[in-house]
PDB file of all heavy atoms in Angstrom:
ATOM      1  N   PHE H1043     -66.151-115.446 -80.407  1.00  0.00           N
ATOM      2  CA  PHE H1043     -64.904-114.986 -81.019  1.00  0.00           C
ATOM      3  C   PHE H1043     -65.070-114.901 -82.525  1.00  0.00           C
ATOM      4  O   PHE H1043     -65.519-115.847 -83.163  1.00  0.00           O
ATOM      5  CB  PHE H1043     -63.758-115.922 -80.635  1.00  0.00           C
ATOM      6  CG  PHE H1043     -63.570-116.041 -79.153  1.00  0.00           C
ATOM      7  CD1 PHE H1043     -64.306-116.967 -78.417  1.00  0.00           C
ATOM      8  CD2 PHE H1043     -62.684-115.221 -78.487  1.00  0.00           C
ATOM      9  CE1 PHE H1043     -64.154-117.073 -77.045  1.00  0.00           C
ATOM     10  CE2 PHE H1043     -62.526-115.316 -77.114  1.00  0.00           C
ATOM     11  CZ  PHE H1043     -63.260-116.240 -76.390  1.00  0.00           C
ATOM     12  N   SER H1044     -64.692-113.752 -83.077  1.00  0.00           N
ATOM     13  CA  SER H1044     -64.863-113.492 -84.497  1.00  0.00           C
ATOM     14  C   SER H1044     -63.502-113.231 -85.142  1.00  0.00           C
ATOM     15  O   SER H1044     -62.752-112.362 -84.678  1.00  0.00           O
ATOM     16  CB  SER H1044     -65.772-112.284 -84.717  1.00  0.00           C
ATOM     17  OG  SER H1044     -65.924-111.978 -86.091  1.00  0.00           O
ATOM     18  N   PRO H1045     -63.156-113.963 -86.201  1.00  0.00           N
ATOM     19  CA  PRO H1045     -61.818-113.808 -86.790  1.00  0.00           C
ATOM     20  C   PRO H1045     -61.686-112.553 -87.643  1.00  0.00           C
ATOM     21  O   PRO H1045     -62.648-112.072 -88.244  1.00  0.00           O
ATOM     22  CB  PRO H1045     -61.686-115.061 -87.668  1.00  0.00           C
ATOM     23  CG  PRO H1045     -63.098-115.394 -88.056  1.00  0.00           C
ATOM     24  CD  PRO H1045     -63.942-115.024 -86.863  1.00  0.00           C
ATOM     25  N   ILE H1046     -60.477-112.026 -87.695  1.00  0.00           N
ATOM     26  CA  ILE H1046     -60.123-110.978 -88.636  1.00  0.00           C
ATOM     27  C   ILE H1046     -59.671-111.643 -89.929  1.00  0.00           C
ATOM     28  O   ILE H1046     -58.715-112.419 -89.932  1.00  0.00           O
ATOM     29  CB  ILE H1046     -58.992-110.085 -88.097  1.00  0.00           C
ATOM     30  CG1 ILE H1046     -59.446-109.330 -86.849  1.00  0.00           C
ATOM     31  CG2 ILE H1046     -58.529-109.100 -89.168  1.00  0.00           C
ATOM     32  CD1 ILE H1046     -58.327-108.541 -86.182  1.00  0.00           C
ATOM     33  N   TYR H1047     -60.361-111.367 -91.022  1.00  0.00           N
ATOM     34  CA  TYR H1047     -59.961-111.895 -92.320  1.00  0.00           C
ATOM     35  C   TYR H1047     -59.263-110.848 -93.183  1.00  0.00           C
ATOM     36  O   TYR H1047     -58.721-111.156 -94.235  1.00  0.00           O
ATOM     37  CB  TYR H1047     -61.176-112.442 -93.066  1.00  0.00           C
ATOM     38  CG  TYR H1047     -61.683-113.763 -92.517  1.00  0.00           C
ATOM     39  CD1 TYR H1047     -62.916-113.854 -91.900  1.00  0.00           C
ATOM     40  CD2 TYR H1047     -60.927-114.917 -92.631  1.00  0.00           C
ATOM     41  CE1 TYR H1047     -63.388-115.067 -91.410  1.00  0.00           C
ATOM     42  CE2 TYR H1047     -61.387-116.136 -92.143  1.00  0.00           C
ATOM     43  CZ  TYR H1047     -62.617-116.199 -91.535  1.00  0.00           C
ATOM     44  OH  TYR H1047     -63.077-117.399 -91.050  1.00  0.00           O
ATOM     45  N   GLY H1048     -59.316-109.621 -92.756  1.00  0.00           N
ATOM     46  CA  GLY H1048     -58.671-108.582 -93.523  1.00  0.00           C
ATOM     47  C   GLY H1048     -58.524-107.308 -92.702  1.00  0.00           C
ATOM     48  O   GLY H1048     -59.390-107.011 -91.858  1.00  0.00           O
ATOM     49  N   PRO H1049     -57.411-106.579 -92.874  1.00  0.00           N
ATOM     50  CA  PRO H1049     -56.281-106.908 -93.742  1.00  0.00           C
ATOM     51  C   PRO H1049     -55.607-108.219 -93.328  1.00  0.00           C
ATOM     52  O   PRO H1049     -55.606-108.560 -92.139  1.00  0.00           O
ATOM     53  CB  PRO H1049     -55.320-105.715 -93.554  1.00  0.00           C
ATOM     54  CG  PRO H1049     -56.121-104.654 -92.875  1.00  0.00           C
ATOM     55  CD  PRO H1049     -57.187-105.316 -92.121  1.00  0.00           C
ATOM     56  N   ASP H1050     -55.015-108.911 -94.293  1.00  0.00           N
ATOM     57  CA  ASP H1050     -54.477-110.236 -94.005  1.00  0.00           C
ATOM     58  C   ASP H1050     -53.325-110.207 -93.009  1.00  0.00           C
ATOM     59  O   ASP H1050     -53.083-111.208 -92.321  1.00  0.00           O
ATOM     60  CB  ASP H1050     -54.067-110.973 -95.287  1.00  0.00           C
ATOM     61  CG  ASP H1050     -53.011-110.234 -96.110  1.00  0.00           C
ATOM     62  OD1 ASP H1050     -52.535-109.172 -95.671  1.00  0.00           O
ATOM     63  OD2 ASP H1050     -52.669-110.733 -97.219  1.00  0.00           O
ATOM     64  N   TYR H1051     -52.643-109.044 -92.868  1.00  0.00           N
ATOM     65  CA  TYR H1051     -51.527-109.007 -91.920  1.00  0.00           C
ATOM     66  C   TYR H1051     -51.990-108.975 -90.457  1.00  0.00           C
ATOM     67  O   TYR H1051     -51.154-109.035 -89.560  1.00  0.00           O
ATOM     68  CB  TYR H1051     -50.572-107.844 -92.224  1.00  0.00           C
ATOM     69  CG  TYR H1051     -51.228-106.483 -92.428  1.00  0.00           C
ATOM     70  CD1 TYR H1051     -51.649-105.711 -91.360  1.00  0.00           C
ATOM     71  CD2 TYR H1051     -51.386-105.981 -93.707  1.00  0.00           C
ATOM     72  CE1 TYR H1051     -52.220-104.467 -91.554  1.00  0.00           C
ATOM     73  CE2 TYR H1051     -51.963-104.738 -93.927  1.00  0.00           C
ATOM     74  CZ  TYR H1051     -52.375-103.989 -92.851  1.00  0.00           C
ATOM     75  OH  TYR H1051     -52.948-102.756 -93.062  1.00  0.00           O
ATOM     76  N   TYR H1052     -53.283-108.868 -90.218  1.00  0.00           N
ATOM     77  CA  TYR H1052     -53.819-109.037 -88.870  1.00  0.00           C
ATOM     78  C   TYR H1052     -54.450-110.415 -88.669  1.00  0.00           C
ATOM     79  O   TYR H1052     -54.946-110.711 -87.583  1.00  0.00           O
ATOM     80  CB  TYR H1052     -54.857-107.953 -88.563  1.00  0.00           C
ATOM     81  CG  TYR H1052     -54.272-106.573 -88.337  1.00  0.00           C
ATOM     82  CD1 TYR H1052     -54.758-105.482 -89.037  1.00  0.00           C
ATOM     83  CD2 TYR H1052     -53.243-106.366 -87.429  1.00  0.00           C
ATOM     84  CE1 TYR H1052     -54.229-104.210 -88.844  1.00  0.00           C
ATOM     85  CE2 TYR H1052     -52.706-105.107 -87.231  1.00  0.00           C
ATOM     86  CZ  TYR H1052     -53.206-104.036 -87.944  1.00  0.00           C
ATOM     87  OH  TYR H1052     -52.670-102.779 -87.743  1.00  0.00           O
ATOM     88  N   ASP H1053     -54.451-111.230 -89.675  1.00  0.00           N
ATOM     89  CA  ASP H1053     -55.089-112.547 -89.661  1.00  0.00           C
ATOM     90  C   ASP H1053     -54.165-113.554 -88.974  1.00  0.00           C
ATOM     91  O   ASP H1053     -53.066-113.831 -89.436  1.00  0.00           O
ATOM     92  CB  ASP H1053     -55.379-112.979 -91.103  1.00  0.00           C
ATOM     93  CG  ASP H1053     -56.255-114.213 -91.201  1.00  0.00           C
ATOM     94  OD1 ASP H1053     -56.246-115.039 -90.263  1.00  0.00           O
ATOM     95  OD2 ASP H1053     -56.934-114.369 -92.230  1.00  0.00           O
ATOM     96  N   CYS H1054     -54.629-114.114 -87.853  1.00  0.00           N
ATOM     97  CA  CYS H1054     -53.782-115.005 -87.060  1.00  0.00           C
ATOM     98  C   CYS H1054     -53.450-116.312 -87.774  1.00  0.00           C
ATOM     99  O   CYS H1054     -52.545-117.036 -87.356  1.00  0.00           O
ATOM    100  CB  CYS H1054     -54.432-115.307 -85.711  1.00  0.00           C
ATOM    101  SG  CYS H1054     -55.960-116.273 -85.812  1.00  0.00           S
ATOM    102  N   ARG H1055     -54.166-116.633 -88.832  1.00  0.00           N
ATOM    103  CA  ARG H1055     -53.884-117.869 -89.564  1.00  0.00           C
ATOM    104  C   ARG H1055     -52.486-117.870 -90.177  1.00  0.00           C
ATOM    105  O   ARG H1055     -51.922-118.927 -90.450  1.00  0.00           O
ATOM    106  CB  ARG H1055     -54.931-118.095 -90.650  1.00  0.00           C
ATOM    107  CG  ARG H1055     -56.343-118.298 -90.120  1.00  0.00           C
ATOM    108  CD  ARG H1055     -57.331-118.526 -91.246  1.00  0.00           C
ATOM    109  NE  ARG H1055     -57.373-117.400 -92.163  1.00  0.00           N
ATOM    110  CZ  ARG H1055     -57.965-117.415 -93.349  1.00  0.00           C
ATOM    111  NH1 ARG H1055     -58.557-118.507 -93.772  1.00  0.00           N
ATOM    112  NH2 ARG H1055     -57.961-116.325 -94.116  1.00  0.00           N
ATOM    113  N   PHE H1056     -51.915-116.684 -90.388  1.00  0.00           N
ATOM    114  CA  PHE H1056     -50.601-116.575 -91.010  1.00  0.00           C
ATOM    115  C   PHE H1056     -49.460-116.496 -89.993  1.00  0.00           C
ATOM    116  O   PHE H1056     -48.303-116.313 -90.365  1.00  0.00           O
ATOM    117  CB  PHE H1056     -50.567-115.364 -91.942  1.00  0.00           C
ATOM    118  CG  PHE H1056     -51.555-115.455 -93.069  1.00  0.00           C
ATOM    119  CD1 PHE H1056     -52.721-114.705 -93.055  1.00  0.00           C
ATOM    120  CD2 PHE H1056     -51.334-116.312 -94.128  1.00  0.00           C
ATOM    121  CE1 PHE H1056     -53.642-114.795 -94.093  1.00  0.00           C
ATOM    122  CE2 PHE H1056     -52.249-116.407 -95.170  1.00  0.00           C
ATOM    123  CZ  PHE H1056     -53.409-115.654 -95.145  1.00  0.00           C
ATOM    124  N   LEU H1057     -49.789-116.607 -88.708  1.00  0.00           N
ATOM    125  CA  LEU H1057     -48.769-116.599 -87.670  1.00  0.00           C
ATOM    126  C   LEU H1057     -47.878-117.838 -87.772  1.00  0.00           C
ATOM    127  O   LEU H1057     -48.299-118.883 -88.267  1.00  0.00           O
ATOM    128  CB  LEU H1057     -49.415-116.561 -86.290  1.00  0.00           C
ATOM    129  CG  LEU H1057     -49.928-115.209 -85.784  1.00  0.00           C
ATOM    130  CD1 LEU H1057     -50.808-115.398 -84.566  1.00  0.00           C
ATOM    131  CD2 LEU H1057     -48.761-114.274 -85.452  1.00  0.00           C
ATOM    132  N   PRO H1058     -46.647-117.740 -87.258  1.00  0.00           N
ATOM    133  CA  PRO H1058     -45.781-118.920 -87.201  1.00  0.00           C
ATOM    134  C   PRO H1058     -46.398-120.042 -86.370  1.00  0.00           C
ATOM    135  O   PRO H1058     -47.188-119.795 -85.448  1.00  0.00           O
ATOM    136  CB  PRO H1058     -44.505-118.383 -86.536  1.00  0.00           C
ATOM    137  CG  PRO H1058     -44.518-116.925 -86.819  1.00  0.00           C
ATOM    138  CD  PRO H1058     -45.948-116.514 -86.817  1.00  0.00           C
ATOM    139  N   ASP H1059     -46.021-121.268 -86.659  1.00  0.00           N
ATOM    140  CA  ASP H1059     -46.559-122.430 -85.956  1.00  0.00           C
ATOM    141  C   ASP H1059     -46.319-122.355 -84.453  1.00  0.00           C
ATOM    142  O   ASP H1059     -47.100-122.897 -83.666  1.00  0.00           O
ATOM    143  CB  ASP H1059     -45.949-123.718 -86.507  1.00  0.00           C
ATOM    144  CG  ASP H1059     -46.445-124.045 -87.910  1.00  0.00           C
ATOM    145  OD1 ASP H1059     -47.495-123.489 -88.306  1.00  0.00           O
ATOM    146  OD2 ASP H1059     -45.783-124.833 -88.597  1.00  0.00           O
ATOM    147  N   LYS H1060     -45.248-121.700 -84.036  1.00  0.00           N
ATOM    148  CA  LYS H1060     -44.926-121.600 -82.624  1.00  0.00           C
ATOM    149  C   LYS H1060     -46.076-120.957 -81.837  1.00  0.00           C
ATOM    150  O   LYS H1060     -46.361-121.339 -80.697  1.00  0.00           O
ATOM    151  CB  LYS H1060     -43.632-120.814 -82.430  1.00  0.00           C
ATOM    152  CG  LYS H1060     -43.029-120.903 -81.087  1.00  0.00           C
ATOM    153  CD  LYS H1060     -41.683-120.204 -81.002  1.00  0.00           C
ATOM    154  CE  LYS H1060     -40.604-121.000 -81.631  1.00  0.00           C
ATOM    155  NZ  LYS H1060     -39.249-120.438 -81.338  1.00  0.00           N
ATOM    156  N   PHE H1061     -46.741-119.981 -82.430  1.00  0.00           N
ATOM    157  CA  PHE H1061     -47.882-119.347 -81.786  1.00  0.00           C
ATOM    158  C   PHE H1061     -49.025-120.343 -81.605  1.00  0.00           C
ATOM    159  O   PHE H1061     -49.679-120.391 -80.561  1.00  0.00           O
ATOM    160  CB  PHE H1061     -48.370-118.161 -82.620  1.00  0.00           C
ATOM    161  CG  PHE H1061     -47.552-116.918 -82.455  1.00  0.00           C
ATOM    162  CD1 PHE H1061     -46.329-116.793 -83.061  1.00  0.00           C
ATOM    163  CD2 PHE H1061     -47.999-115.870 -81.678  1.00  0.00           C
ATOM    164  CE1 PHE H1061     -45.570-115.643 -82.926  1.00  0.00           C
ATOM    165  CE2 PHE H1061     -47.262-114.717 -81.526  1.00  0.00           C
ATOM    166  CZ  PHE H1061     -46.041-114.605 -82.145  1.00  0.00           C
ATOM    167  N   LYS H1062     -49.270-121.111 -82.626  1.00  0.00           N
ATOM    168  CA  LYS H1062     -50.382-122.054 -82.598  1.00  0.00           C
ATOM    169  C   LYS H1062     -50.141-123.183 -81.600  1.00  0.00           C
ATOM    170  O   LYS H1062     -51.069-123.670 -80.952  1.00  0.00           O
ATOM    171  CB  LYS H1062     -50.640-122.573 -84.010  1.00  0.00           C
ATOM    172  CG  LYS H1062     -51.028-121.452 -84.972  1.00  0.00           C
ATOM    173  CD  LYS H1062     -51.060-121.880 -86.419  1.00  0.00           C
ATOM    174  CE  LYS H1062     -51.299-120.668 -87.323  1.00  0.00           C
ATOM    175  NZ  LYS H1062     -51.334-121.040 -88.774  1.00  0.00           N
ATOM    176  N   VAL H1063     -48.881-123.587 -81.463  1.00  0.00           N
ATOM    177  CA  VAL H1063     -48.525-124.595 -80.461  1.00  0.00           C
ATOM    178  C   VAL H1063     -48.782-124.060 -79.060  1.00  0.00           C
ATOM    179  O   VAL H1063     -49.353-124.750 -78.209  1.00  0.00           O
ATOM    180  CB  VAL H1063     -47.056-125.033 -80.632  1.00  0.00           C
ATOM    181  CG1 VAL H1063     -46.611-125.899 -79.448  1.00  0.00           C
ATOM    182  CG2 VAL H1063     -46.868-125.789 -81.936  1.00  0.00           C
ATOM    183  N   LYS H1064     -48.356-122.830 -78.801  1.00  0.00           N
ATOM    184  CA  LYS H1064     -48.576-122.215 -77.487  1.00  0.00           C
ATOM    185  C   LYS H1064     -50.067-122.065 -77.203  1.00  0.00           C
ATOM    186  O   LYS H1064     -50.518-122.263 -76.072  1.00  0.00           O
ATOM    187  CB  LYS H1064     -47.871-120.864 -77.400  1.00  0.00           C
ATOM    188  CG  LYS H1064     -46.379-120.941 -77.251  1.00  0.00           C
ATOM    189  CD  LYS H1064     -45.751-119.567 -77.110  1.00  0.00           C
ATOM    190  CE  LYS H1064     -46.103-118.939 -75.769  1.00  0.00           C
ATOM    191  NZ  LYS H1064     -45.459-119.637 -74.627  1.00  0.00           N
ATOM    192  N   TYR H1065     -50.835-121.687 -78.211  1.00  0.00           N
ATOM    193  CA  TYR H1065     -52.283-121.567 -78.037  1.00  0.00           C
ATOM    194  C   TYR H1065     -52.881-122.911 -77.630  1.00  0.00           C
ATOM    195  O   TYR H1065     -53.680-122.989 -76.696  1.00  0.00           O
ATOM    196  CB  TYR H1065     -52.931-121.060 -79.328  1.00  0.00           C
ATOM    197  CG  TYR H1065     -54.416-120.782 -79.207  1.00  0.00           C
ATOM    198  CD1 TYR H1065     -54.877-119.482 -79.037  1.00  0.00           C
ATOM    199  CD2 TYR H1065     -55.364-121.801 -79.257  1.00  0.00           C
ATOM    200  CE1 TYR H1065     -56.236-119.211 -78.933  1.00  0.00           C
ATOM    201  CE2 TYR H1065     -56.712-121.547 -79.146  1.00  0.00           C
ATOM    202  CZ  TYR H1065     -57.151-120.255 -78.987  1.00  0.00           C
ATOM    203  OH  TYR H1065     -58.516-120.001 -78.875  1.00  0.00           O
ATOM    204  N   LYS H1066     -52.502-123.977 -78.336  1.00  0.00           N
ATOM    205  CA  LYS H1066     -53.054-125.306 -78.056  1.00  0.00           C
ATOM    206  C   LYS H1066     -52.678-125.767 -76.651  1.00  0.00           C
ATOM    207  O   LYS H1066     -53.509-126.379 -75.957  1.00  0.00           O
ATOM    208  CB  LYS H1066     -52.538-126.307 -79.082  1.00  0.00           C
ATOM    209  CG  LYS H1066     -53.158-127.714 -78.974  1.00  0.00           C
ATOM    210  CD  LYS H1066     -54.670-127.665 -79.192  1.00  0.00           C
ATOM    211  CE  LYS H1066     -55.242-129.044 -79.458  1.00  0.00           C
ATOM    212  NZ  LYS H1066     -55.010-129.989 -78.380  1.00  0.00           N
TER     213      LYS H1066
END
């Protein structure tokens, strides 16, 4: 898996915490 670092609006690091909780 390779992250998207740009454009930043496709970067999952900026998603709301709710997404990250569901992922975990």
